[in-house]
Each structure stands twice: as structure tokens, then as C-alpha cells.
Amino acid sequence: MDEAYDVIVLGTGLSECILSGIMSVNGKKVLHMDRNPYYGGESSSITPLEELYKRFGLPEGPPESMGRGRDWNVDLIPKFLMANGQLVKMLLYTEVTRYLDFKVVEGSFVYRGGQVHKVPSTETEALASSLMGMFEKRRFRKFLVFVANFDENEPQTLEGVDPHGTPMRDVYERFDLGQDVIDFTGHALALHRTDDYLDQPCLETINRIKLYSESLARYGKSPYLYPLYGLGELPQGFARLSAIYGGTYMLNKPVDEIVVENGRVVGVRSEGEVARCKQLICDPSYVPERVRRAGRVVRVICILSHPIRGTSEAGSCQIILPQNQLGRKSDVYVCLVSWAHNVAAPGKFVAIVSTTVETSDPELEVEPALQLLEPISQKFVAISDLYEPMDDGTESQIFCSRSYDATTHFETTCDDIKDIYQRMVGAPFNFESMKRRQSHIFGEDEQ
């Protein structure tokens, strides 16, 4: 370990593993350490099931009715991949897809008036949907056609809307969309967590709706994908990429000190040895003095023996409970996966409820979502602080990622990865920088 590296990475969360992979592909000498004996950090999948019970302080362990413990891979953080989103693009460019198998999530649903409604995925479904009345459907269709054609570089497609000036609220008004449709569009399609976006320039929301539509168009059932064996497979896939390009991995390795001289990082001390480096990437748990708290998230992992009522027996789905329906500021999300994804014993389902904490009683905040899941065989409640770095790292060359937020997709995580890359390299992130070199043997021998 007493060696010099270009980059040392601490923690094997998804953000850290992707950055480690990119740096290795770009010819950097990388050392990647984690104090845990497993990959994934905050974004790992826990197996066997006994380990999850232990983690949440339930020493008696799972009952026999839960099946074999090693059939379970339970995510700590619930997220899906947008089929046309940035993470899928990163997987394709790096060819990490060769290490993973994905399934399309079976449906996307939205909660209204105490009931679950399918988010329409075809024009036929939209016409039959009980989410809107007849005239509303026509206006909504016009709005979707406008969004699909919208291109900020083609003035004729803007219909007088200023992408950087017109607030989204005004765009909705222009199409005379009612409150229910606005709720559904902003939260189930654009996937905003709060209503702050209504008074912000419309371009971001229009692009988010486009991303949803394009992701939906790829596979038809829903815009979301999920990896077999759980989300913990994602960081491991990028770790393999880094290793193929010469990255060194050390799990179960205590980090005693990040060595800083004259305000800049020079290395990491572990078990009496110092590995030297020019730059350091880490998650917030390694640099508590360099991060600040930016809110809290409550996540409730629920084990079920049945699909969720009102979802047409879907083996996987997302349900969004818009904040307006619950008298809150932020949406509540439900992500459901099952034995079909090799993450649970046969006939079992894992539903994870999550939201941004707004009160002193987080469990009560997610109660409406938990009611949709009844009966629940076992639940595990986790309340986590969200951290963000206090500075951009350019002075110290210590680049810290942000905690995983309450969103149920990876777009914000990818934005953070691109942002860290730009600060480290001094040039904007470019997906081309992730491409494996064609002359390389691609690690085919390990297939």
C-alpha cells in the first residue's frame, strides 16, 4: 500500500465506483478502499436476510416463512433507472452492461383521492384513464405534443414560450390544465418532489417530461429499469471496470487519517501505512468535518407476501403519492420489487417507502403509503441524514459526493458525478470520456 497514486477513492458507493471507473479508463492510477467488508456503502443490497434483521437490531432473525435467507438481496436505498437516463448511458458507454441483467419495471402509478391509478403509458390508456375528464384529456394531449416538439434551439417549436424565462405555472395555464393534471404531470411525469418548480423557468420540467416519455418509449410498460439481484450490483459492475483498467481494491480496510499538507490532500493513512495521492474522492462518512447536513430522509423497507392492491398484481412498480394529496411539501414514494428480480424468496415482495422528512414524526409522514401495503409481514425503518460538501474541493483536492436523496431514480446522483468530474478534471463531463479503449481486450477472459 506504500505507493503513490493519482487518485484514492474512499467508499464503494455508486458515485465513488463510477468515478473510480472513469478515472481508471482515463489512465489514472487508482486505489479504492472501503472500511466495510462489502461493496456499495449506503447504496448496497443486504444479503442474506438474517444480515438485514441484524442491521436493524432484530436479533431473533427472520421466521421460517421468509424462505431461504440467501434468496434475499434487499436494497437500503430504493431507486430505479430511467431507461433513457444518464446512468443507463454511463452503463452503455462503459459496457458495464455486460456484467448486469435488467428487467423493465411493470408499471408506474399515482395516488389520488385515497386510490392508486396507473400513469398512462399509451394513448389508449390515457383515453381510458380515470385521472382526467374527457376535455381535460384533449388539452393534456395538446400539451404533450407541445412538449414532444419543444426544442430550445428551434424558435418555431417554442410557441412564444421562453425556455429560460417563462415559469412552468404559465405553461400549464396556457394549456388550461386543471390542478389534478398539473399534480400528475409535475410529480408522476417530471418527477419533481415539491411544487417549487412551478415558479422556475419551464425548460427543466419540459426536459424531465421528455426524459420520461423517451424512457417509456424504449420498453413500453414503464420508463424504469431495475437490475436483477438488486442495486448493489451497480457499484460492483463499475468496480470491475476500474479493476480491468488497473484499479486496486481493498475492502475491510480501516481509514485512520486523510493526510493533508498545506491545505491539500497528500495521502491516506491506514494501519500504519500511507498511500500517497494527488486527488481524493469519498462519501460524506469519511470527512464529517467537511460536510453539512442538508435534510433527512425516512425509508421504510417492507416485506410483503402479496402484490400491492390496485396495481393489477404487478411484480414491480412505482407509486408516487403527490404532496398535494397528503397536505405536505414533498412527495412520498413507493418502490416495489419481488422474487422475479432475484431479490426475495419465491412469492415474496419488497416495497420501500421513502420521503424527505418534514416533521418530528417521520413514520407518521409515510403512514398513507404504508396503508397501501397492508398487510406487512415485517418492516424496517431507517431515518438518514443527508449530507453535502461544504466546499467544491478544488483547494484541498478532496472531492466529496452528496448523500443519496429521496428521489426514486439516479438522475440527481449522475448530476453529482458529472459535477465532481468537472471539478477534478477542470473540463465539462463528456460521456465519450467513459468509453473503453477499443484496442483493449475488454476483460473478455473473465467472461
Side-chain angles (χ1 to χ4, degrees), residues 9 16 41 45 127 193 226 252 284 288 337 383 423 430:
V9 185
E16 288 71 37
S45 306
L127 288 170
R193 279 173 291 166
Y226 183 80
N252 217 356
V337 286
I383 295 157
R423 282 180 273 140
N430 177 354

Side-chain angles (χ1 to χ4, degrees), residues 85-211:
Q86 300 181 89
L87 182 51
V88 168
K89 210 168 173 183
M90 288 179 180
L91 286 160
L92 289 168
Y93 268 79
T94 53
E95 297 182 44
V96 168
T97 41
R98 67 180 58 221
Y99 311 134
L100 301 159
D101 286 309
F102 290 92
K103 272 195 163 177
V104 181
V105 172
E106 287 177 36
S108 183
F109 296 84
V110 66
Y111 175 86
R112 200 177 89 192
Q115 285 186 313
V116 172
H117 301 263
K118 189 169 193 311
V119 176
S121 56
T122 62
E123 205 162 311
T124 318
E125 276 187 11
L127 288 170
S129 172
S130 55
L131 283 167
M132 295 169 266
M134 204 52 191
F135 294 113
E136 196 103 72
K137 282 173 184 164
R138 271 188 215 159
R139 294 195 289 267
F140 183 59
R141 190 167 178 275
K142 272 188 191 161
F143 168 75
L144 288 181
V145 169
F146 163 74
V147 167
N149 295 330
F150 194 93
D151 180 344
E152 61 173 321
N153 303 313
E154 300 280 337
Q156 72 273 20
T157 67
L158 305 182
E159 298 184 20
V161 169
D162 173 0
H164 301 284
T166 310
M168 196 62 206
R169 191 185 294 278
D170 293 5
V171 177
Y172 287 145
E173 270 174 25
R174 172 183 290 242
F175 287 90
D176 199 21
L177 299 181
Q179 188 56 51
D180 281 345
V181 180
I182 291 173
D183 272 357
F184 150 75
T185 306
H187 296 269
L189 302 185
L191 303 174
H192 285 293
R193 279 173 291 166
T194 69
D195 268 349
D196 297 350
Y197 79 95
L198 287 170
D199 298 307
Q200 290 162 0
C202 61
L203 181 63
E204 192 200 342
T205 300
I206 288 173
N207 283 340
R208 281 172 170 236
I209 297 170
K210 271 180 179 296
L211 169 63

Side-chain angles (χ1 to χ4, degrees), residues 216-230:
L216 184 59
R218 300 258 321 236
Y219 299 106
K221 279 187 186 171
S222 85
Y224 305 113
L225 301 174
Y226 183 80
L228 294 185
Y229 299 101

Side-chain angles (χ1 to χ4, degrees), residues 323-344:
Q323 32 76 285
N324 264 355
Q325 294 290 317
L326 307 172
R328 294 170 48 76
K329 280 222 292 277
S330 348
D331 294 357
V332 175
Y333 298 105
V334 179
C335 286
L336 178 83
V337 286
S338 69
W339 50 282
H341 307 89
N342 304 352
V343 296

Side-chain angles (χ1 to χ4, degrees), residues 226-266:
Y226 183 80
L228 294 185
Y229 299 101
L231 297 175
E233 295 295 292
L234 293 167
Q236 290 187 60
F238 284 100
R240 286 179 77 174
L241 172 73
S242 176
I244 286 170
Y245 281 87
T248 303
Y249 273 78
M250 293 182 181
L251 292 182
N252 217 356
K253 189 77 175 146
V255 174
D256 301 325
E257 184 194 358
I258 294 169
V259 186
V260 176
E261 288 174 8
N262 303 322
R264 277 178 94 89
V265 69
V266 294

